């Protein structure tokens, strides 16, 4: 009554509390992982596949050097982007930030530096005037930051958020006080063809080899589908982690039995035929370990 509830409203509150306790109580009871689930995961993890596969390497195909026209056409389809870079400079006033007196002294100097910079003084002249450190850094990108132990991730992030020609406000770090300036921004752009022409030759040749390798792999696949014969094949029994190249292993367990496919790799195409599936022998220790692993995962999910 003091809380402003009627009897019906108070009864509804109690009813909701009981319902909540029943739901949460049920969730707190451990849920056992079904045995058939453990068995299915065990079979999937430790089962093996019987496969035939042939390797068609890109390097097996000889390609002459390209003409300038061929390189130019290739570059239109595969342009190289030069990432944004920034040239910066900074003034650094060192201070023992954990020492109040030395912090105050450093801060007082930083305030003077800030006032002079705002008044239009150059950063290098201001640094000399107050005995601070001035550093000018040539253009760098986000992923090739300069070798400068004072240039932290936070400062680099700040630099790439600033506009060209502007100085930052005073920045406190664990080492002292910073003032940053972005001197020049070089926007990201497509590299001129002439500057990358020579570096494109190997990429072009590999692209052409890849095309020819795919044509050959497709011929092998057609013969395999029509005649059941795979020229240059290797026969192997593989697990999920060994027995063939990684790309072949992934496809062997992804594909259905008696399925024939072309599998792309980093330096070759593989023509793959999954000929059989082998169920794993029962290993009680592995089964028990898997049961514990899945039970732990289930308990965390419920919690």
């Amino acid at each position: 009554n003091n809380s402003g509830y009627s009897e019906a409203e108070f009864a509804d509150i109690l009813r909701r509390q009981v319902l909540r306790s029943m739901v949460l109580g049920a969730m707190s009871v451990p849920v056992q992982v079904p045995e058939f689930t453990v068995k299915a995961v065990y079979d999937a993890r430790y089962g093996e596949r019987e496969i035939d596969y042939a390797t068609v390497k890109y390097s097996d195909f000889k390609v002459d050097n390209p003409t300038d026209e061929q390189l130019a056409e290739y570059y239109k389809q595969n342009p190289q982007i030069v990432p944004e870079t920034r040239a910066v400079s900074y003034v650094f006033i060192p201070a023992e930030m954990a020492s109040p007196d030395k912090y105050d002294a450093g801060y007082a100097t930083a305030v003077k530096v800030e006032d002079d910079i705002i008044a239009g003084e150059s950063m290098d002249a201001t640094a000399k005037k107050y005995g601070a450190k001035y550093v000018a850094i040539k253009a760098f990108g986000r992923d090739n930051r300069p070798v400068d132990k004072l240039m932290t991730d936070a400062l680099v992030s700040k630099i790439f958020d600033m506009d060209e020609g502007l100085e930052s406000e005073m920045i406190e770090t664990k080492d002292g006080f910073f003032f940053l300036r972005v001197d020049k921004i070089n926007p990201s752009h497509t590299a001129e063809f002439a500057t990358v022409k020579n570096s494109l030759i190997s990429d072009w040749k590999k692209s052409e080899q890849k095309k020819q390798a795919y044509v050959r792999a497709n011929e092998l696949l057609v013969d395999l589908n029509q005649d059941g014969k795979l020229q240059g094949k290797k026969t192997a029994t593989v697990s999920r982690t060994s027995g063939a190249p990684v790309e072949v292993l992934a496809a062997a367990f992804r594909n259905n039995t008696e399925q024939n496919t072309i599998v792309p790799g980093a330096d070759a195409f593989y023509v793959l035929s999954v000929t059989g599936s082998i169920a794993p022998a029962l290993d009680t220790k592995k089964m028990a370990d898997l049961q514990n692993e899945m039970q732990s995962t289930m308990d965390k999910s419920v919690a």
Side-chain angles (χ1 to χ4, degrees), residues 8 11 29 50 65 67 70 82 88 97 102 105 116 126 162 200-201 203 207 213 221 237:
V29 177
E50 295 175 324
N65 287 332
T67 63
Q70 288 174 318
V82 179
V88 302
M97 307 299 274
K102 293 181 179 179
D116 281 16
T126 303
M162 294 172 60
L200 293 174
I201 295 176
D203 292 338
S207 175
L221 180 63
T237 299

Side-chain angles (χ1 to χ4, degrees), residues 224-254:
L224 177 61
N225 288 334
Q226 291 179 349
D227 306 327
K229 296 180 180 180
L230 180 58
Q231 185 177 341
K233 73 177 182 181
K234 291 183 180 179
T235 299
T237 299
V238 299
S239 69
R240 288 185 177 272
T241 58
S242 63
V246 174
E247 299 89 348
V248 174
L249 295 180
F253 285 89
R254 182 174 62 245

Side-chain angles (χ1 to χ4, degrees), residues 86 88 142 151-163 167-171 180 182:
R86 298 190 171 205
V88 302
R142 289 180 184 270
M151 193 58 57
T152 63
D153 291 341
L155 291 178
V156 171
S157 179
K158 175 71 175 177
I159 287 168
F160 279 88
D161 285 337
M162 294 172 60
D163 294 327
E167 296 87 8
S168 71
E169 71 283 0
M170 184 193 303
I171 302 173
L180 301 171
V182 176

Side-chain angles (χ1 to χ4, degrees), residues 12 24 60 86 102 165 210 248 283:
D12 186 56
L24 294 181
D60 290 341
R86 298 190 171 205
K102 293 181 179 179
K210 185 176 181 179
V248 174
D283 185 314

Side-chain angles (χ1 to χ4, degrees), residues 79-140:
Q80 293 185 12
I81 304 300
V82 179
E84 177 187 306
T85 60
R86 298 190 171 205
V88 302
S89 52
Y90 69 79
V91 174
F92 173 62
I93 301 95
E96 293 183 25
M97 307 299 274
S99 172
D101 292 340
K102 293 181 179 179
Y103 171 90
D104 290 341
Y107 180 78
T109 301
V111 169
K112 294 177 183 178
V113 169
E114 184 173 40
D115 290 342
D116 281 16
I117 291 175
I118 292 174
E121 291 288 338
S122 66
M123 294 182 72
D124 56 344
T126 303
K128 289 179 182 177
K129 181 178 179 180
Y130 294 104
K133 180 178 182 179
Y134 172 78
V135 176
I137 303 176
K138 294 181 179 180
F140 65 93

Side-chain angles (χ1 to χ4, degrees), residues 112-298:
K112 294 177 183 178
V113 169
E114 184 173 40
D115 290 342
D116 281 16
I117 291 175
I118 292 174
E121 291 288 338
S122 66
M123 294 182 72
D124 56 344
T126 303
K128 289 179 182 177
K129 181 178 179 180
Y130 294 104
K133 180 178 182 179
Y134 172 78
V135 176
I137 303 176
K138 294 181 179 180
F140 65 93
R142 289 180 184 270
D143 298 328
N144 63 329
R145 50 190 289 179
V147 180
D148 186 328
K149 65 180 182 180
L150 295 175
M151 193 58 57
T152 63
D153 291 341
L155 291 178
V156 171
S157 179
K158 175 71 175 177
I159 287 168
F160 279 88
D161 285 337
M162 294 172 60
D163 294 327
E164 182 176 323
L166 297 181
E167 296 87 8
S168 71
E169 71 283 0
M170 184 193 303
I171 302 173
E172 291 190 23
T173 72
K174 65 181 181 63
D175 298 305
F177 302 91
F178 269 90
F179 294 93
L180 301 171
R181 175 184 169 84
V182 176
D183 297 313
K184 184 173 179 56
I185 297 177
N186 302 307
S188 63
H189 59 280
T190 302
E192 292 293 332
F193 171 67
T195 64
V196 297
K197 175 182 171 182
N198 291 335
S199 66
L200 293 174
I201 295 176
S202 61
D203 292 338
W204 181 90
K205 293 179 73 171
K206 185 172 182 178
S207 175
E208 291 301 307
Q209 289 175 315
K210 185 176 181 179
K211 292 176 184 177
Q212 294 186 34
Y214 182 77
V215 171
R216 178 55 182 156
N218 196 60
E219 292 173 350
L220 294 177
L221 180 63
V222 169
D223 291 343
L224 177 61
N225 288 334
Q226 291 179 349
D227 306 327
K229 296 180 180 180
L230 180 58
Q231 185 177 341
K233 73 177 182 181
K234 291 183 180 179
T235 299
T237 299
V238 299
S239 69
R240 288 185 177 272
T241 58
S242 63
V246 174
E247 299 89 348
V248 174
L249 295 180
F253 285 89
R254 182 174 62 245
N255 295 351
N256 296 322
T257 304
E258 299 183 358
Q259 182 178 356
N260 304 326
T261 55
I262 294 176
V263 180
D267 298 300
F269 285 107
Y270 304 95
V271 182
L272 171 66
S273 177
V274 181
T275 58
S277 180
I278 304 174
L282 181 61
D283 185 314
T284 54
K285 184 180 185 307
K286 287 183 178 179
M287 183 70 84
D289 291 342
L290 181 59
Q291 170 78 42
N292 293 334
E293 176 188 330
M294 295 181 66
Q295 188 63 55
S296 177
T297 302
M298 174 72 78

Side-chain angles (χ1 to χ4, degrees), residues 17-32 295 298-299 301-303:
Q17 288 178 342
V18 172
L19 179 60
R20 182 174 183 275
S21 66
M22 293 173 66
V23 172
L24 294 181
M27 292 293 289
S28 66
V29 177
V31 179
Q32 291 297 120
Q295 188 63 55
M298 174 72 78
D299 293 343
S301 299
V302 171

